[in-house]
Amino acid sequence: MLIVTTNDIPGHRIVSTLGVVRGITVRSRNVVSDMVGGVQSMIGGRVGAYVKLAEAARAEAYQELVEHAGAMGANAVLAMRYDANEIMPGITEVLAYGTAVVVEPE
């Protein structure tokens, strides 16, 4: 599965456009990450505990996007993006989305 953030894939032509695909996950912080993150935020700099949580949420949403596109018969996703919204304090929705297409080499 080719996943790109652009509207086309150099060296490939779009055979068919299948529609919007998405992957979504909802994640919450936990007591341990809040404690570690709190200490790291007092020191300043990168807050590794929260980076790990954000990366895990993005990876999960990305994997769901790939599965959704595959189920539609796509072999590529164009214009892939991430979005995140806080549903309530400590609970975040992460969305990966794009356009599922079938491409072939030119």
Side-chain angles (χ1 to χ4, degrees), residues 19-49:
V20 174
V21 287
R22 81 251 173 267
I24 188 170
T25 188
V26 177
R27 290 288 184 125
S28 66
R29 297 186 315 237
N30 62 47
V31 174
V32 174
S33 65
D34 275 349
M35 286 185 350
V36 173
V39 170
Q40 289 177 333
S41 69
M42 288 188 289
I43 296 169
R46 186 172 195 249
V47 184

Side-chain angles (χ1 to χ4, degrees), residues 5-28:
T5 58
T6 56
N7 293 327
D8 58 5
I9 302 173
H12 293 77
R13 71 179 190 89
I14 298 170
V15 175
S16 63
T17 301
L18 304 174
V20 174
V21 287
R22 81 251 173 267
I24 188 170
T25 188
V26 177
R27 290 288 184 125
S28 66

Side-chain angles (χ1 to χ4, degrees), residues 9-97:
I9 302 173
H12 293 77
R13 71 179 190 89
I14 298 170
V15 175
S16 63
T17 301
L18 304 174
V20 174
V21 287
R22 81 251 173 267
I24 188 170
T25 188
V26 177
R27 290 288 184 125
S28 66
R29 297 186 315 237
N30 62 47
V31 174
V32 174
S33 65
D34 275 349
M35 286 185 350
V36 173
V39 170
Q40 289 177 333
S41 69
M42 288 188 289
I43 296 169
R46 186 172 195 249
V47 184
Y50 292 139
V51 170
K52 286 181 183 179
L53 287 172
E55 284 298 328
R58 283 185 176 208
E60 190 173 312
Y62 181 90
Q63 185 58 43
E64 290 209 12
L65 168 83
V66 170
E67 290 171 11
H68 187 203
M72 291 178 70
N75 66 355
V77 175
L78 303 178
M80 187 271 184
R81 303 283 188 270
Y82 287 106
D83 192 15
N85 297 297
E86 189 173 50
I87 294 174
M88 59 186 294
I91 299 177
T92 302
E93 163 202 47
V94 176
L95 172 68
Y97 63 96

